[in-house]
Amino acid sequence: MGSRIRVIVRAGALGAVIGAGHAAYNARIVRAPREGPARCRETVSILLPLRDEAARVTPALRSLLAQRGLDDAEILVLDDCSTDGTAAVVRRVAGADPRVTLLTGAEPPPGMLGKPHACHQLARRARGSVLVCVDADVVLAPDAVAAAVSLLREAGLDAVSPFPRQRAEGPAARLVQPLLQWSWLVLLPLRLAETSPRPSLAAANGQFFVIDAAVLRRCGGFAAVAGEVLDDIALMRAVKRAGGRGVVADGSRVAECHMYPTWAQLRDGYTKSLWSATGSAPAALAIAGLFFVVWVLPAAAALCGSRAGLLGYAAGVAGRVVAARRTGGRVWPDSLAHPVSVLALAGLIGRSWRARYAGRLVWKGRPLPRRGAA
């Protein structure tokens, strides 16, 4: 091994050690909705946008109907031009429950993407002082909404995104899905992110997103993020620009999400969004390069007998273990494959950018713009 490579391996190993330490610190201080009974006395609007979700909306809707500790709650469901009978499933599951209102959505106008347009329509009908956005693939614990609203108020936040536990099944999902929680635990300074207006410190997950209704109006509502593929992160940035405070939280004890049941769905889902997550093609290359140096190269060097590489590999595994234990993920043997996970993610980033430049980005049957804000 050449001297230059040894220096790079040592630098990468140091980065992995720092990342693992930062993950351990964040795991201790990350906010989380408390488990067990909670009480919410203000009016809450739960928003559930649906497009072709007949096959999986039932568990999500049943979990919303089972919410407790809410003195005044409404469940607004929007059927976003589905073609698979989603509305009929909602009617069957909801029955005559007066809390549920089923809305028929309209096609988004030019320049507005499907999900933010659906949420925009829901928010316009909401009467709550707090809005809780939930995706169709999320199942909430009975006290999840009340606990999340309590966290919002008690921590003095304007928006909070409790990150659900990601249910990963199959080799591909087990490789890639855990990187969602791992990434913000390793890279995001959580306490600074609560108060800083810097867009780079915004993190969120639209699967479960809680926001003060007045703050949502002040920051322009979902119309302000109309063209954003990652509308959840864009909305958190808008909250920050409006002077609000918001942060991602650990919601793994009160929410679960089965995001992508198959490899094809996972591949297409990440292809749709990773170009936006990385900001620009040069930034994507820089991110992929940094990840390779910090979490892949040391493992490769360890195979060649490098002690620094072995330390770096062990630190990368330790960071994954910390993230998995904190967020309810599978620890072993998945954490041992962390370098392979990072390589898989890099491949998906490349695929996303190729699809963007080729104009082949499609989601839920609707084409996505070739160019747009990141």
Side-chain angles (χ1 to χ4, degrees):
M1 187 185 298
S3 59
R4 183 173 299 178
I5 295 297
R6 281 196 294 271
V7 169
I8 296 173
V9 168
R10 289 169 182 167
L14 177 60
V17 170
I18 293 172
H22 192 238
Y25 173 73
N26 273 342
R28 288 199 304 272
I29 60 99
V30 63
R31 297 194 186 276
R34 62 173 174 265
E35 297 179 78
R39 197 81 204 170
C40 176
R41 303 196 180 281
E42 58 187 303
T43 303
V44 176
S45 295
I46 303 173
L47 313 183
L48 180 63
L50 303 173
R51 179 169 170 82
D52 293 333
E53 300 287 5
R56 62 178 181 176
V57 68
T58 296
L61 184 53
R62 283 179 175 163
S63 77
L64 298 182
L65 295 171
Q67 290 302 298
R68 59 197 181 196
L70 304 173
D71 284 5
D72 185 11
E74 63 176 354
I75 302 171
L76 301 179
V77 183
L78 185 129
D79 178 25
D80 184 15
C81 306
S82 299
T83 60
D84 66 346
T86 292
V89 175
V90 172
R91 292 189 189 98
R92 187 185 74 245
V93 174
D97 195 310
R99 295 172 297 172
V100 180
T101 300
L102 176 62
L103 307 174
T104 300
E107 286 287 346
M112 197 166 199
L113 299 182
K115 185 176 179 182
H117 182 241
C119 291
H120 173 69
Q121 294 172 83
L122 287 164
R124 289 178 63 183
R125 291 289 300 270
R127 61 181 177 83
S129 56
V130 178
L131 306 186
V132 178
C133 302
V134 182
D135 278 358
D137 49 8
V138 173
V139 175
L140 299 182
D143 298 295
V145 171
V149 175
S150 295
L151 172 62
L152 180 83
R153 296 313 191 197
E154 291 168 5
L157 300 170
D158 299 294
V160 65
S161 180
F163 211 113
R165 184 176 78 85
Q166 300 298 305
R167 196 172 125 204
E169 298 175 354
R174 288 172 62 176
L175 273 178
V176 178
Q177 285 296 92
L179 296 183
L180 291 174
Q181 301 98 311
W182 168 85
S183 61
W184 55 265
L185 278 169
V186 168
L187 300 173
L188 184 68
L190 288 173
R191 284 293 178 263
L192 179 61
E194 282 192 15
T195 56
S196 173
R198 294 182 60 183
S200 60
L201 294 180
N205 186 338
Q207 295 167 354
F208 188 15
F209 195 105
V210 182
I211 185 167
D212 180 89
V215 172
L216 179 66
R217 290 191 293 269
R218 191 168 76 230
C219 72
F222 288 98
V225 297
E228 301 286 353
V229 173
L230 295 175
D231 54 279
D232 45 9
I233 296 176
L235 184 58
M236 189 68 82
R237 290 173 177 170
V239 169
K240 289 175 175 291
R241 284 194 297 269
R245 298 178 62 220
V247 74
V248 69
D250 174 26
S252 62
R253 290 167 177 78
V254 298
E256 177 183 271
C257 178
H258 192 192
M259 194 172 179
Y260 298 123
T262 69
W263 160 245
Q265 291 172 323
L266 183 148
R267 178 198 63 206
D268 293 345
Y270 277 83
T271 297
K272 174 261 299 184
S273 59
L274 280 176
W275 69 269
S276 182
T278 51
S280 67
L285 285 173
I287 291 168
L290 174 65
F291 277 33
F292 179 84
V293 168
V294 176
W295 289 291
V296 178
L297 184 60
L303 294 176
C304 299
S306 168
R307 286 181 293 179
L310 182 59
L311 173 64
Y313 168 66
V317 170
R320 273 287 292 274
V321 168
V322 167
R325 286 181 172 165
R326 187 63 181 87
T327 61
R330 187 182 283 106
V331 178
W332 307 113
D334 301 47
S335 298
L336 297 174
H338 185 59
V340 182
S341 295
V342 173
L343 283 176
L345 178 63
L348 289 169
I349 291 173
R351 188 178 194 272
S352 181
W353 276 99
R354 289 194 300 272
R356 184 197 181 200
Y357 282 121
R360 293 186 283 103
L361 290 171
V362 177
W363 190 244
K364 297 283 187 178
R366 291 170 174 151
L368 300 181
R370 291 187 65 175
R371 298 190 181 279

